[in-house]
């Protein structure tokens, strides 16, 4: 392997790369814990209530029939509590086990056996690639790769598949799935404040019910009646969905309400913009951004960031020389696609010289001193020895022929 | 809770014909138990909250949530660059032998890979698969077809393959003796170069009856030779095809895993000391990253005077005494048409310095 990472270096890489690996299942665990607590509290209070009623009845001249019916009630509430608690706790348990499996996997980076470490490193790269592919939207590839590599548990596939469903429904210009997602995550979205409500409001703008009502009204009803009816409808819908609008968002709400007065194919902006199909694309972007933030993920995959850092660390000016004599087939940055990708990236920083012989790839130092041929090209002494024939050498890069004795030593400090 | 349910059920049945006051008391007791139990359930569950939030805090404390600050985030956002990235991943998948995943990616990303590019990897993987199953024939066929080019590379692959085949026959015991002897004819073209090895192989036949594992030749049966032959084959085949032995994506990624922590560290130091001006070089990383000697793919000359990498516009120059400095340094050190070497007493004309190429 060209790059040898020590155990300490692997640990350091964990710290900067594995936040998403653990945070996403943790957030699920947290969410399920809260849901379980809520369910348990709710059912517990139901039980306590019916039991209190029973106690009251018992303490004051109980009648057999009423006691029996109250007892039935208690049994029913207890069963409900048992069932719901069991379900919620099982879901929590699954989440906790998933967190544990991932942590166990991460610990394997410090295994004693080199073969084990190599397997872990390969899985690491596959994990990051799968998440990158999921972000790009290449779901089939990602799932297949995860399966073949045996890392299905270790990557956040569900999160991205859920997002995929929402995005696909938005592409079909349907808002129901996205609104359901907002509702499902409303407590966390609320913590993130601003964006969430904007998202909901924009969604509601696009609610097809508005458009349908419009078209109907305009076709069949006189203006006066239309206004009355629209007022009626819009007030109800508005009250229901826009009641939580705050401050600056009210402006958007007003804009949307204003839209009610215009036909659906209006040419007047900003109303035209509000109905533009491109808004759906913006919604998808907005959703994606909010989804990443919700799970505390950045906008770029860890894979992309790692690759950029890695290419920069290898990149030298020689990878981009006009003539192709400097290309080294082993250098990743010299390979076709990576060469184009690495072009806008910063180069490696080298404070000290390091020289390698173009012929053998051997390091040139006091054991293999660099020798300059009369044409200015430098090679290692050992390599010149190996290509020497009849006391002559042919420069591999210019094909000029020189005497071996013409090579001069150069001194690198 | 189950107990309570059962108790209540029993009570319900007794209500018909028992002393009501006794039952009332029993039921009141049940009610108390129920209330206590469910409250316990709720409070015990709530107690878990502490542990759960500790997990979250531990994650936040021990891992970095924001890593993107060390790179230019949007630099690969264009669809063109995304395509190059997908191409790279597809090539990598072909190298690893994950053919159907590669095909899926081509389909989903719209990347088209030339058959001529796929073909070498398909063949390499086919032969490697066979080698892993200890089947040497595809590899031998390939080695024979490419015999001349392998010899040009000073490769000993063909001999190694024959040798390993001979050894696998030896493993079969005395029954294979005749076959092994006949197979030994394949060693003839290698007689001059591998005389000693052939002598050892033939010598081992003596012990075939008694078992080679008990003979001085037992080292021939070592199992890691099979892993070694896979590596030898990969190395020679890639050299022949002009490919790198390791996937460029793997190397770049591994290099990134080493570079990221270093960059994060320096970024934090820069922010702490509030000297953000230091990381101005958008063309160069702010700090050197040591990837090890195996990653020295190109020569880099850092001028010892100006402490900067040389480039095409500022190339390395050899002075008459043999010392090398960058051209900018040479110009700086030239005084009134004369240049004194910074490392030795040698004086010269600046125009006598020669540009060198590493």
């Amino acid at each position: 392997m060209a790059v040898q990472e020590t155990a300490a270096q692997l640990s350091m890489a964990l710290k900067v790369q594995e936040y998403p690996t653990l945070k996403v299942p943790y957030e699920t665990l947290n969410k399920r814990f809260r849901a379980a607590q809520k369910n348990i509290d709710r059912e517990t209070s139901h039980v306590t209530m019916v039991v209190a009623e029973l106690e009251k009845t018992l303490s004051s001249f109980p009648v057999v029939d009423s006691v029996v019916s109250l007892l039935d009630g208690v049994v029913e509430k207890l069963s409900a509590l048992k069932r719901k608690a069991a379900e919620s706790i099982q879901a929590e348990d699954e989440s906790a086990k998933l967190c544990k499996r991932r942590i166990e996997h991460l610990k394997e980076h410090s295994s004693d056996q080199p073969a084990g470490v190599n397997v872990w490193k390969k899985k690491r790269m596959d994990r990051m690639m799968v998440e990158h592919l999921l972000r790009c939207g290449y779901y089939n590839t990602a799932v297949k790769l995860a399966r073949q590599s045996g890392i299905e548990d270790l990557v956040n596939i569900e999160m991205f598949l859920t997002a995929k469903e929402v995005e696909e429904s938005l592409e079909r210009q349907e808002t129901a799935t996205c609104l359901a997602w907002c509702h499902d995550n409303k407590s966390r979205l609320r913590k993130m404040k601003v964006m969430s409500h904007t998202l909901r409001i924009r969604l509601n703008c696009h609610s097809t019910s508005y458009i349908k009502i419009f078209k109907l009204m305009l076709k069949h009803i006189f203006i006066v009646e239309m206004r009355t009816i629209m007022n009626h409808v819009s007030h109800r819908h508005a009250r229901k969905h826009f009641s939580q609008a705050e401050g600056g968002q009210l402006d958007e709400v007003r804009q949307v309400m204003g839209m009610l007065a215009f036909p659906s194919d209006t040419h007047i902006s900003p109303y035209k913009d509000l109905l533009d199909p491109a808004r759906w694309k913006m919604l998808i972007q907005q959703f994606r951004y909010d989804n990443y933030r919700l799970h505390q993920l950045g906008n770029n995959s860890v894979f992309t960031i790692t690759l950029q850092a890695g290419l920069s660390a290898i990149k030298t000016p020689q990878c981009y020389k006009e003539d192709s004599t400097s290309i080294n087939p082993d250098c990743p940055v010299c390979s076709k696609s990576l060469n184009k990708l690495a072009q806008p990236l910063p180069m490696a920083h080298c404070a000290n010289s390091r020289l390698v012989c173009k012929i053998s790839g051997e390091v040139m130092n006091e054991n293999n001193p660099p020798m300059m041929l009369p044409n200015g090209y430098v090679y290692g002494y050992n390599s010149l020895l190996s290509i020497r024939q009849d006391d002559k050498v042919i420069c591999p890069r210019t094909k000029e022929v020189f005497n071996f004795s013409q090579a001069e030593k150069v001194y690198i400090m | 809770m189950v107990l309570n349910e059962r108790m209540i059920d029993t009570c319900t049945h007794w209500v018909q014909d028992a002393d009501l006051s006794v039952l009332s008391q029993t039921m009141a007791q049940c009610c108390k138990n129920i209330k206590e139990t469910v409250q316990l359930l709720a409070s015990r569950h709530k107690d878990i909250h502490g542990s759960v939030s500790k997990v979250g805090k531990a994650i936040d404390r021990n891992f970095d949530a924001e890593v993107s600050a060390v790179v230019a985030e949007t630099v690969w956002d264009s669809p063109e660059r995304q395509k190059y990235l997908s191409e790279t991943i597809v090539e990598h998948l072909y190298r690893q032998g994950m053919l159907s995943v590669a095909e899926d990616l081509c389909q989903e990303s719209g990347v088209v890979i030339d058959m001529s590019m796929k073909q070498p990897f398909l063949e390499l993987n086919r032969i490697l698969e066979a080698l892993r199953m200890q089947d040497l024939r595809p590899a031998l066929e390939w080695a024979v077809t490419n015999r001349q080019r392998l010899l040009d590379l000073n490769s000993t692959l063909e001999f190694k393959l024959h040798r390993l085949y001979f050894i696998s026959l030896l493993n079969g015991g005395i029954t294979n003796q005749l076959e092994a002897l006949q197979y030994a004819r394949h060693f003839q073209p290698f007689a001059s170069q591998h005389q000693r090895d052939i002598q050892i192989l033939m010598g081992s036949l003596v012990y075939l009856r008694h078992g080679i594992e008990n003979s001085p030749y037992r080292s021939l049966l070592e199992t890691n030779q099979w892993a070694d032959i896979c590596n030898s084959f990969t190395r020679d085949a890639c050299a022949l095809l002009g490919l790198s032995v390791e996937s460029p994506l793997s190397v770049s990624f591994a290099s990134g895993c080493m570079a990221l922590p270093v960059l994060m560290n320096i970024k934090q130091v820069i922010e702490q000391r509030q000297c953000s001006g230091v990381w101005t070089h958008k063309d160069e990383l702010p700090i050197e990253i040591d990837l090890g000697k195996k990653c020295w793919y190109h020569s880099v000359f850092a001028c010892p005077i100006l402490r900067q990498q040389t480039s095409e516009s500022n190339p390395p120059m050899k002075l008459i005494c043999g010392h090398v400095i960058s051209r900018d340094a040479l110009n700086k050190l030239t005084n009134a048409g004369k240049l004194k070497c910074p490392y030795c007493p040698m004086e010269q004309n600046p125009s006598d310095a020669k540009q060198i190429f590493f």
Side-chain angles (χ1 to χ4, degrees), chain A residues 10-272:
Chain A
L10 284 173
S11 293
M12 290 201 294
L14 274 187
K15 181 169 184 287
V16 297
Q17 287 180 314
E18 306 287 1
Y19 183 78
T21 313
L22 294 180
K23 190 71 175 177
V24 171
Y26 164 74
E27 290 290 347
T28 311
L29 170 63
N30 206 1
K31 188 169 137 192
R32 289 183 180 182
F33 170 81
R34 287 183 203 285
Q37 187 66 48
K38 231 168 77 176
N39 283 339
I40 289 177
D41 283 340
R42 190 183 53 230
E43 298 300 322
T44 312
S45 73
H46 288 168
V47 168
T48 317
M49 225 168 52
V50 292
V51 167
E53 251 192 77
L54 178 58
E55 278 179 327
K56 212 174 83 179
T57 319
L58 285 174
S59 61
S60 55
F61 307 113
V63 174
V64 171
D65 285 337
S66 63
V67 170
V68 167
S69 73
L70 280 173
L71 276 174
D72 282 340
V74 170
V75 169
E76 195 192 310
K77 292 293 178 216
L78 276 176
S79 307
L81 168 59
K82 187 171 169 200
R83 195 186 62 237
K84 293 217 171 126
E87 271 172 26
S88 304
I89 291 177
Q90 195 191 21
E92 261 184 274
D93 202 39
E94 269 175 36
S95 272
K97 287 207 171 96
L98 180 62
C99 288
K100 188 149 191 239
R101 274 199 297 275
R102 292 205 185 174
I103 294 174
E104 290 301 322
H105 173 77
L106 288 184
K107 286 208 280 196
E108 285 170 19
H109 80 280
S110 57
S111 134
D112 290 328
Q113 304 157 335
V117 175
N118 281 336
V119 168
W120 187 86
K121 288 205 280 198
K122 180 169 188 298
K123 282 195 176 171
R124 172 180 65 179
M125 184 168 170
D126 288 341
R127 279 190 290 120
M128 310 271 160
M129 270 205 301
V130 169
E131 294 230 19
H132 172 81
L133 292 169
L134 286 168
R135 273 177 187 256
C136 292
Y138 305 145
Y139 301 102
N140 294 332
T141 314
V143 170
K144 196 180 264 190
L145 177 56
R147 197 174 303 140
Q148 280 196 16
S149 206
I151 50 173
E152 281 161 291
D153 249 358
L154 307 173
V155 281
N156 301 319
I157 297 185
E158 295 81 48
M159 183 199 114
F160 284 99
L161 288 182
T162 313
K164 174 189 178 209
E165 277 184 29
V166 173
E167 287 189 20
E168 281 180 351
S169 86
L170 285 176
E171 295 230 347
R172 292 191 296 265
Q173 303 199 350
E174 295 161 14
T175 58
T177 323
C178 193
L179 280 169
W181 177 87
C182 286
H183 178 77
D184 201 30
N185 291 291
K186 69 169 179 270
S187 62
R188 276 191 290 171
L189 281 174
R190 204 176 291 137
K191 278 196 211 141
M192 277 163 43
K193 286 193 189 144
V194 186
M195 290 305 165
S196 64
H197 280 117
T198 318
L199 184 60
R200 283 187 67 178
I201 290 172
R202 286 189 184 163
L203 282 174
N204 286 308
C205 299
H206 289 271
S207 175
T208 48
S209 49
Y210 267 137
I211 315 282
K212 278 194 194 133
I213 294 170
F214 259 148
K215 294 183 179 167
L216 210 62
M217 301 294 184
L218 289 171
K219 275 185 195 166
H220 302 294
I221 305 175
F222 295 126
I223 303 288
V224 173
E225 276 169 274
M226 174 176 86
R227 271 217 206 102
T228 336
I229 294 173
M230 282 210 303
N231 277 338
H232 182 70
V233 168
S234 64
H235 277 164
R236 268 192 27 221
H237 190 96
R239 260 208 306 278
K240 183 161 158 236
H241 293 282
F242 291 173
S243 56
Q244 293 138 330
E246 298 147 352
Q249 292 158 355
L250 277 177
D251 287 334
E252 273 204 67
V253 175
R254 287 193 193 104
Q255 226 182 38
V256 171
M257 298 305 284
M259 191 176 82
L260 279 172
F262 292 86
S264 59
D265 53 358
T266 181
H267 292 294
I268 304 177
S269 79
Y271 302 115
K272 169 166 163 289

Side-chain angles (χ1 to χ4, degrees), chain B residues 101-283:
Chain B
V101 184
E103 294 293 333
D104 274 358
L105 183 52
C106 281
Q107 220 174 10
E108 285 188 299
S109 66
V111 161
V112 177
I113 300 280
D114 226 24
M115 196 54 186
S116 63
M117 206 237 69
K118 274 195 245 176
Q119 192 55 37
F121 293 127
L122 294 176
E123 181 156 7
L124 270 176
N125 277 309
R126 187 181 59 91
I127 298 177
L128 273 172
E129 269 307 305
L131 278 179
R132 281 182 203 128
M133 310 291 242
Q134 302 202 347
D135 176 9
L136 290 160
R137 276 161 312 171
L140 270 168
E141 277 170 28
W142 183 88
V144 167
T145 321
N146 292 286
R147 179 178 288 164
Q148 187 53 47
R149 294 168 72 199
L150 283 171
L151 287 174
D152 288 341
L153 279 174
N154 291 330
S155 155
T156 54
L157 186 67
E158 199 182 338
F159 174 70
K160 281 192 198 152
L161 288 167
H162 284 304
R163 178 178 173 275
L164 208 55
Y165 193 89
F166 186 84
I167 292 178
S168 68
L169 286 174
L170 291 178
N171 266 324
I174 192 69
T175 46
N176 283 341
Q177 190 181 38
L178 189 58
E179 201 182 334
L181 266 173
Q182 285 177 334
Y183 195 80
R185 295 205 191 115
H186 285 108
F187 292 148
Q188 195 199 15
F190 307 100
S192 51
Q193 275 209 316
H194 300 274
Q195 198 180 43
R196 183 91 186 109
D197 282 316
I198 298 176
Q199 284 173 341
I200 294 176
L201 287 169
M202 299 312 286
S204 70
L205 282 173
V206 174
Y207 288 89
L208 203 53
R209 185 178 293 276
H210 297 282
I212 299 190
E213 44 292 359
N214 302 318
S215 75
Y217 292 96
R218 68 179 75 90
S219 62
L220 288 179
L221 301 175
E222 272 170 8
T223 46
N224 59 10
Q225 290 179 110
W226 289 97
D228 284 344
I229 199 78
C230 289
N231 288 336
S232 297
F233 170 73
T234 310
R235 234 184 5 250
D236 287 345
C238 288
L240 211 67
L241 295 165
L243 296 168
S244 57
V245 173
E246 257 188 279
S247 152
L249 193 63
S250 295
V251 178
S252 310
F253 182 80
S255 146
C257 294
M258 286 186 74
L260 267 185
V262 177
L263 291 174
M264 279 294 285
N265 224 346
I266 194 85
K267 181 120 196 137
Q268 279 166 5
V269 168
I270 289 177
E271 274 166 13
Q272 267 175 9
R273 309 236 176 121
Q274 296 183 328
C275 46
S276 347
V278 172
W279 197 330
T280 51
H281 280 296
K282 284 212 226 87
D283 347 291

Side-chain angles (χ1 to χ4, degrees), chain A residues 358-369:
Chain A
K358 200 73 180 77
I359 298 177
S360 61
E362 257 186 274
V363 173
M364 295 194 286
N365 51 20
E366 56 281 358
N367 299 327
N368 180 24

Side-chain angles (χ1 to χ4, degrees), chain A residues 33 37 41, chain B residues 40-51:
Chain A
F33 170 81
Q37 187 66 48
D41 283 340
Chain B
L40 196 60
L41 167 68
S43 70
R44 276 214 188 136
H45 188 263
K46 206 171 201 153
D47 286 343
I48 302 177
H49 173 70
S51 313

Side-chain angles (χ1 to χ4, degrees), chain B residues 2-18:
Chain B
V2 178
L3 219 55
N4 285 332
E5 274 178 281
R6 230 182 280 146
M7 281 172 81
I8 293 167
D9 276 335
T10 329
C11 289
T12 324
H13 287 302
W14 287 347
V15 163
Q16 250 67 53
D17 41 44

